[in-house]
Amino acid sequence: MLHLATIITRLRHTKGYGVQSPTDYHFIKDIINQKLPYYQYKQLKTTNRKKRKINQLLLRLANFCQPENILNQTDDTLATKYMEAGCKKAKTTKQIENKKTIILTTIKLINHNTIYTIAPQSIIIVEDINKNKQTKQHWNNITTNNNITTTYDTPQIGIIITGKRQYPKHYKIYLK
């Protein structure tokens, strides 16, 4: 369970308060914390509430990003279906290519080479970033990469958007 102080610090950016960039504000408000139902929610069912929230976020991310490729490095096949529902034109691949990609991975599999090999404006969703001290430290090391534009740190997952930006932004938010 998250400590109360951690929840309070994350709540500040959850609704977009304190976010100066219009694109980051839009991403937090309309993509991450969207409350309206998307067109595919009824057809794709998940029984676990926590997994359902994350899978619905994956669908919204794929719909926002419109990637050429989808790469799922986890054992969750339902997550791939959600991402495919978000972007019908995307191909599911087994390897990282230099194309606009959305990647679902675990903290153990992510490294700086992954970030350097994918195209700008790709999205990487990393699971288990707050599992223990080692995973938190690894997440903090990954977020220092020069190819990262923005990171969103939620208690459940981390979201990385790649690209070049003069000042990278890192947000700690709470996934509603």
Side-chain angles (χ1 to χ4, degrees):
M1 191 70 187
L2 286 176
H3 299 306
L4 184 60
T6 306
I7 291 173
I8 290 171
T9 58
R10 290 176 187 278
L11 283 176
R12 177 174 168 227
H13 292 305
T14 298
K15 293 192 176 193
Y17 301 128
V19 177
Q20 300 299 317
S21 167
T23 52
D24 295 344
Y25 176 82
H26 162 71
F27 191 81
I28 290 171
K29 190 92 168 124
D30 297 335
I31 308 300
I32 294 178
N33 288 317
Q34 175 64 262
K35 291 296 168 198
L36 298 174
Y38 268 61
Y39 52 94
Q40 291 287 338
Y41 283 174
K42 289 182 183 177
Q43 293 155 352
L44 300 166
K45 303 270 185 196
T46 307
T47 55
N48 184 340
R49 183 177 181 267
K50 179 183 169 187
K51 271 297 201 191
R52 181 176 61 240
K53 285 173 45 174
I54 292 172
N55 284 339
Q56 288 177 349
L57 174 61
L58 293 175
L59 185 144
R60 293 190 304 267
L61 287 170
N63 188 37
F64 167 76
C65 179
Q66 291 296 309
E68 295 177 47
N69 292 333
I70 294 172
L71 175 62
N72 185 352
Q73 295 179 330
T74 67
D75 297 332
D76 190 359
T77 56
L78 189 59
T80 304
K81 290 180 183 177
Y82 271 85
M83 289 187 286
E84 288 171 345
C87 183
K88 301 274 187 204
K89 69 175 183 156
K91 298 182 302 188
T92 304
T93 62
K94 300 280 185 198
Q95 61 188 6
I96 297 173
E97 299 174 14
N98 192 10
K99 294 181 178 178
K100 193 173 184 182
T101 307
I102 187 165
I103 300 173
L104 176 63
T105 187
T106 62
I107 192 71
K108 295 175 190 170
L109 298 176
I110 188 80
N111 58 40
H112 289 283
N113 292 335
T114 305
I115 297 167
Y116 283 121
T117 54
I118 62 174
Q121 303 305 312
S122 293
I123 296 178
I124 304 171
I125 302 102
V126 185
E127 294 181 335
D128 301 330
I129 62 168
N130 291 311
K131 193 172 189 177
N132 55 41
K133 285 185 180 183
Q134 290 83 14
T135 59
K136 286 180 186 179
Q137 182 62 39
H138 187 58
W139 171 252
N140 289 333
N141 290 339
I142 290 297
T143 59
T144 61
N145 189 301
N146 293 337
N147 280 8
I148 291 177
T149 301
T150 313
T151 62
Y152 300 92
D153 178 353
T154 73
Q156 300 90 350
I157 60 171
I159 301 169
I160 298 171
I161 299 177
T162 62
K164 292 286 186 186
R165 185 184 216 176
Q166 191 169 3
Y167 302 105
K169 298 289 184 177
H170 307 286
Y171 298 103
K172 290 184 180 253
I173 59 175
Y174 187 74
L175 184 62
K176 289 186 187 182

